[in-house]
């Protein structure tokens, strides 16, 4: 029996992916320093799945701590989520972002190499497509031209891992570029729990619905889209989590670097999301139109062909499912994990 190491496994996407991996029969070890997550998420992963999950509150930029994990467990594959992820914050503190997000991948890969573990699934983002305008984005669309340090760290991590494969073709690297993960596990026990004021649309929307925030700011209604608001490819976090299970299987089977978009392939505007949310939850969402947010593109959505063909994976859940599940999580945990 071998283990899958999930770095950042107590975080939003990490926790859902742990549930999906455990439900698929994998054994999971989590490393998360809890700098932007809570231990309660790990307890809830255990309670949803009824599985034992070993947890280490380690900082994975620290090779000594990582060594302990690789010495104690027979790790076969790493799913690497751990990292900083707030775009605005990355502009204010670029060095922190470059240090944490690059050093974690470098330390992890060095320790993996020492232990002969050469399989890694890396959590990248559609943000690497930068301000390239032609949608849908395919994996061959140009990358770079990033608009903030967070995005550059994702892009640079992709380069680092590709160079590792170039130096040793026995490595197997699967890079997943996420579009906009939203929603929560249907149990309502795990979900997105942002610290402070949410930056992203869905957590803002659910906090308005629960009465924690007064109204939703809509950043721009003059985009060249059907109703003037920005278009994004929202994907249910459990679909995304299941995409990781397929990616781990692929990673264990193959060699080299594989890159996949994980999205639904459908674009929805901010107004469409608000309407779907109102319909799914029977709540009215007060909103106010605000100026465009700096760095936003008008439309971003995925071509999902490659993931369907090679990972045999497709998103299944609808925008209504995303709204219902996000709301169930928010309503049953109005203060997030406490
Ligand atoms: C953002 C990040 C992206 C990151 C992703 C993670 C920016 C510029 N980009 O993507 O790098 O990978 O989150 O999920 O922050 N909106 C509102 N009101 C709000 C919040 C958002 O109208 O209060 C609009 C935005 O203008 C956009 C859409 O909703 O059109 C989605 O925004 P958001 O959820 O922040 O995601 P992205 O900007 O796509």
């Amino acid at each position: 029996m071998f283990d899958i190491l999930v770095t950042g496994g107590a975080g939003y996407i990490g926790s859902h992916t742990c549930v999906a991996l455990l439900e698929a029969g994998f054994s999971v070890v989590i490393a998360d320093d809890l700098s932007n997550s809570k231990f309660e998420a790990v307890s809830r992963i255990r309670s949803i799945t009824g599985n034992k999950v070993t947890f280490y509150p380690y900082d994975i930029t620290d090779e000594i701590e990582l060594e302990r994990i690789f010495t104690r467990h027979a790790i076969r594959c790493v799913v690497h989520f751990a990292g900083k992820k707030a775009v605005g914050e990355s502009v204010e503190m670029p060095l922190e972002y470059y240090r944490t997000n690059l050093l974690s991948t470098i330390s992890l890969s060095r320790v993996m190499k020492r232990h002969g573990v050469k399989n890694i699934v890396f959590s990248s983002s559609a943000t690497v497509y930068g301000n390239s305008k032609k949608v849908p984005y395919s994996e061959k669309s140009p990358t770079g031209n990033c608009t903030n340090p967070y995005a550059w760290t994702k892009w640079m991590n992709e380069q680092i891992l590709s160079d590792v494969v170039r130096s040793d073709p026995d490595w197997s690297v699967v890079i997943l570029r996420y579009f906009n993960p939203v929603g929560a596990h249907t149990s309502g026990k795990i979900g997105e729990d942002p610290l402070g004021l949410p930056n992203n649309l869905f957590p803002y929307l659910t906090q308005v619905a629960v009465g924690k925030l007064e109204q939703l700011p809509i950043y721009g209604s003059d985009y060249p889209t059907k109703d003037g608001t920005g278009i994004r490819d929202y994907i249910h976090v459990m679909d995304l989590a299941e995409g990781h299970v397929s990616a781990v299987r692929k990673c264990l089977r193959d060699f080299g670097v594989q890159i996949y978009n994980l999205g639904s392939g459908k674009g929805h505007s901010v107004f469409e999301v608000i309407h779907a949310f109102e319909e799914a939850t029977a709540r009215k969402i007060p909103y106010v139109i605000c100026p465009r947010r700096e760095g936003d593109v008008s439309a971003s959505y995925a071509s999902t062909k490659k993931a369907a063909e090679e990972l045999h994976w497709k998103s299944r859940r609808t925008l209504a499912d995303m709204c219902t599940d996000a709301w169930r999580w928010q309503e049953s945990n109005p203060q997030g994990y406490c």
Side-chain angles (χ1 to χ4, degrees):
M1 187 60 177
F2 62 84
D3 291 319
I4 308 283
L5 173 64
V6 181
T7 75
Y12 174 45
I13 306 174
S15 57
H16 289 80
T17 299
C18 287
V19 168
L21 285 168
L22 289 161
E23 281 173 352
F26 288 101
S27 167
V28 168
V29 172
I30 296 176
D32 193 311
D33 68 358
L34 302 178
S35 54
N36 191 25
S37 57
K38 306 251 172 67
F39 178 74
E40 181 59 21
V42 179
S43 304
R44 299 203 186 174
I45 294 169
R46 289 174 176 153
S47 97
I48 292 170
T49 60
N51 281 92
K52 188 176 116 312
V53 179
T54 312
F55 172 74
Y56 293 93
Y58 290 174
D59 172 354
I60 61 150
T61 62
D62 185 336
E63 290 189 27
I64 296 168
E65 299 207 317
L66 280 173
E67 276 290 343
R68 277 190 216 125
I69 302 179
F70 281 80
T71 306
R72 280 185 205 155
H73 298 270
I75 306 290
R76 270 281 291 284
C77 181
V78 178
V79 185
H80 177 30
F81 292 102
K84 292 180 164 289
K85 61 170 187 183
V87 174
E89 189 182 64
S90 79
V91 176
E92 282 156 31
M93 38 173 89
L95 294 176
E96 277 310 299
Y97 271 68
Y98 286 116
R99 195 192 77 81
T100 306
N101 290 6
L102 299 185
L103 203 52
S104 58
T105 305
I106 294 168
S107 300
L108 188 58
S109 309
R110 280 166 53 89
V111 175
M112 287 172 69
K113 188 175 169 204
R114 284 205 286 275
H115 288 262
V117 180
K118 298 182 176 180
N119 302 313
I120 181 165
V121 174
F122 176 65
S123 179
S124 190
S125 166
T127 195
V128 300
Y129 295 118
N131 51 17
S132 138
K133 297 221 160 35
K134 208 166 154 280
V135 282
Y137 295 128
S138 88
E139 291 79 354
K140 291 206 174 108
S141 296
T143 61
N145 264 325
C146 297
T147 53
N148 57 76
Y150 159 74
W152 279 119
T153 66
K154 291 294 181 193
W155 187 86
M156 288 176 190
N157 270 319
E158 291 194 1
Q159 298 305 310
I160 291 170
L161 291 170
S162 303
D163 285 341
V164 169
V165 172
R166 235 164 265 139
S167 75
D168 177 355
D170 282 349
W171 277 74
S172 172
V173 173
V174 178
I175 291 169
L176 301 176
R177 293 179 179 155
Y178 313 147
F179 282 71
N180 290 61
V182 300
H185 189 264
T186 46
S187 64
K189 287 185 177 171
I190 54 172
E192 188 167 13
D193 183 20
L195 277 178
L197 196 66
N199 297 309
N200 300 117
L201 179 62
F202 259 75
Y204 209 111
L205 191 61
T206 57
Q207 292 196 15
V208 170
V210 85
K212 268 176 88 177
L213 295 168
E214 215 174 294
Q215 55 186 359
L216 175 76
I218 296 183
Y219 298 133
S221 61
D222 57 351
Y223 282 107
T225 60
K226 49 193 161 190
D227 59 24
T229 63
I231 292 195
R232 295 290 182 279
D233 182 333
Y234 298 96
I235 171 166
H236 195 294
V237 67
M238 281 313 295
D239 278 330
L240 192 74
E242 288 159 14
H244 286 73
V245 176
S246 306
V248 165
R249 292 199 174 110
K250 175 91 177 157
C251 189
L252 291 170
R253 261 196 323 263
D254 273 16
F255 296 101
V257 185
Q258 319 290 335
I259 302 181
Y260 300 103
N261 286 339
L262 294 188
S264 71
K266 294 184 196 83
H268 291 289
S269 74
V270 177
F271 276 132
E272 281 174 345
V273 171
I274 295 175
H275 294 147
F277 191 86
E278 289 181 333
E279 200 147 292
T281 63
R283 307 224 147 206
K284 202 88 204 112
I285 302 296
Y287 63 81
V288 55
I289 306 285
C290 298
R292 291 181 181 193
R293 182 173 65 178
E294 209 186 308
D296 271 355
V297 293
S298 90
S300 161
Y301 52 93
S303 157
T304 56
K305 201 163 159 261
K306 192 175 174 207
E309 282 172 6
E310 296 182 17
L311 294 180
H312 312 293
W313 168 89
K314 252 191 172 145
S315 74
R316 297 182 286 127
R317 296 159 177 94
T318 63
L319 184 59
D321 297 330
M322 301 177 210
C323 294
T324 310
D325 293 340
W327 177 234
R328 186 181 301 107
W329 153 254
Q330 180 72 74
E331 206 180 13
S332 30
N333 304 269
Q335 306 305 327
Y337 295 113
C338 298

